[in-house]
């Protein structure tokens, strides 16, 4: 970011030491953020060779994302359903949407569109995972403001974590706990405030959704 902002070649010389170790991934996570650097390099214009390297790196990652999409019975670029699966889906779709900026692809745009369809209701549990957007939207997100403001409906515009086969909150084992309605991995979702493993909200899930929505305009 310092290189992009200043054009100072010494910054480029420093981070070149790490480019081979920090490969682009399918999508961003809270602890794997190297794609932010690759995207910054791909969109800067101070150094053409770095731009070309970054774009090739992201194109390779987007190709793997698209292969996941083609292999998925749910038509999404995910291999499994873990904590924050909705956020991971939005982030992997964003990788393809970024590449589409300089290498337009109808295939990538179709994949991004299907990711949005999934998040807004075309999924195994038929839930629109965005609060306030549809009749099936979550009513009880793991969100303290929504739970404590005295208003029945939650704050609108929150993307919940979504299907999670691991169900780490394990609320069904607590006294008076609530059982998940399905044991099938692809249906491991429950609209319950205490079910934080599926109904948590996070800005790093929300932001890529905003990006992919804008990319489809």
């Amino acid at each position: 970011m310092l290189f992009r902002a200043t054009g100072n070649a010494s910054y480029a010389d420093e981070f070149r030491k790490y480019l081979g170790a920090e490969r682009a991934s399918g999508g961003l996570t809270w602890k794997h953020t190297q794609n932010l650097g690759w995207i910054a390099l791909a969109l800067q214009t101070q150094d053409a060779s770095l731009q070309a390297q970054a774009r090739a790196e992201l194109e390779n990652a987007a190709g793997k994302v698209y292969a996941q999409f083609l292999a998925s019975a749910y038509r999404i670029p995910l291999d499994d359903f873990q904590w924050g699966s909705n956020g991971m889906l939005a982030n992997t779709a964003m990788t393809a949407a970024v590449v589409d900026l300089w290498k337009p692809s109808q295939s990538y745009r179709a994949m991004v569109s299907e990711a949005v369809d999934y998040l807004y209701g075309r999924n195994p549990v038929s839930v629109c995972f965005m609060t306030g957007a549809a009749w099936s939207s979550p009513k009880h997100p793991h969100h303290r403001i929504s739970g404590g403001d005295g208003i029945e409906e939650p704050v609108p515009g929150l993307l919940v974590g979504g299907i999670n086969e691991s169900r780490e909150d394990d609320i069904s084992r607590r006294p008076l706990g609530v059982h998940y309605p399905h044991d099938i991995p692809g249906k491991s979702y429950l609209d319950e405030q205490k079910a934080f493993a599926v109904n948590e909200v996070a800005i790093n899930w929300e932001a890529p959704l905003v990006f992919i929505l804008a990319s489809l305009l």
Side-chain angles (χ1 to χ4, degrees):
M1 295 302 180
L2 287 169
F3 170 71
R4 189 177 68 168
T6 67
N8 189 328
S10 65
Y11 292 127
D13 293 339
E14 184 64 26
F15 68 67
R16 274 192 173 97
K17 301 174 184 177
Y18 307 100
L19 289 182
E22 299 294 339
R23 307 303 299 270
S25 60
L28 288 155
T29 69
W30 65 271
K31 60 180 177 179
H32 297 123
T33 59
Q34 63 268 32
N35 278 22
L36 291 174
W38 285 114
I39 292 169
L41 288 177
L43 299 180
Q44 58 81 35
T45 57
Q46 291 100 318
D47 189 305
S49 65
L50 281 172
Q51 182 193 75
Q53 183 178 354
R55 291 187 175 190
E57 187 75 18
L58 289 167
E59 287 169 18
N60 180 60
K64 293 178 180 178
V65 166
Y66 189 67
Q68 285 182 312
F69 165 75
L70 292 178
S72 170
Y74 296 109
R75 300 285 288 175
I76 54 175
L78 290 180
D79 290 330
D80 53 16
F81 297 102
Q82 297 299 329
W83 196 321
S85 61
N86 285 342
M88 193 62 204
L89 173 58
N91 273 295
T92 53
M94 185 176 71
T95 302
V98 167
V99 171
D100 186 71
L101 292 173
W102 66 79
K103 191 177 181 180
S105 166
Q106 288 298 323
S107 296
Y108 284 179
R109 290 182 64 82
M111 178 181 67
V112 172
S113 180
E114 293 213 41
V116 170
D117 289 345
Y118 173 97
L119 294 173
Y120 279 83
R122 196 219 63 204
N123 54 60
V125 292
S126 298
V127 169
C128 172
F129 290 116
M130 175 68 73
T131 60
W135 67 269
S136 64
S137 294
K139 302 297 189 293
H140 310 287
H142 185 75
H143 182 243
R144 286 161 178 76
I145 296 174
S146 294
D149 62 5
I151 300 172
E152 183 177 358
E153 288 292 320
V155 173
L158 301 174
L159 178 67
V160 300
I163 298 169
N164 177 6
E165 61 188 271
S166 298
R167 296 180 266 199
E168 290 91 342
D169 49 65
D170 206 16
I171 60 174
S172 62
R173 292 189 181 182
R174 299 178 182 179
L176 303 179
V178 180
H179 289 274
Y180 279 79
H182 295 282
D183 293 327
I184 300 171
K187 290 195 173 184
S188 298
Y189 175 76
L190 178 67
D191 182 19
E192 179 73 27
Q193 186 178 17
K194 294 181 180 180
F196 51 82
V198 295
N199 241 20
E200 182 187 24
V201 301
I203 194 170
N204 56 306
W205 303 340
E206 193 92 8
L209 175 57
V210 173
F211 188 100
I212 62 176
L213 286 170
S215 76
L216 295 174
L217 294 178

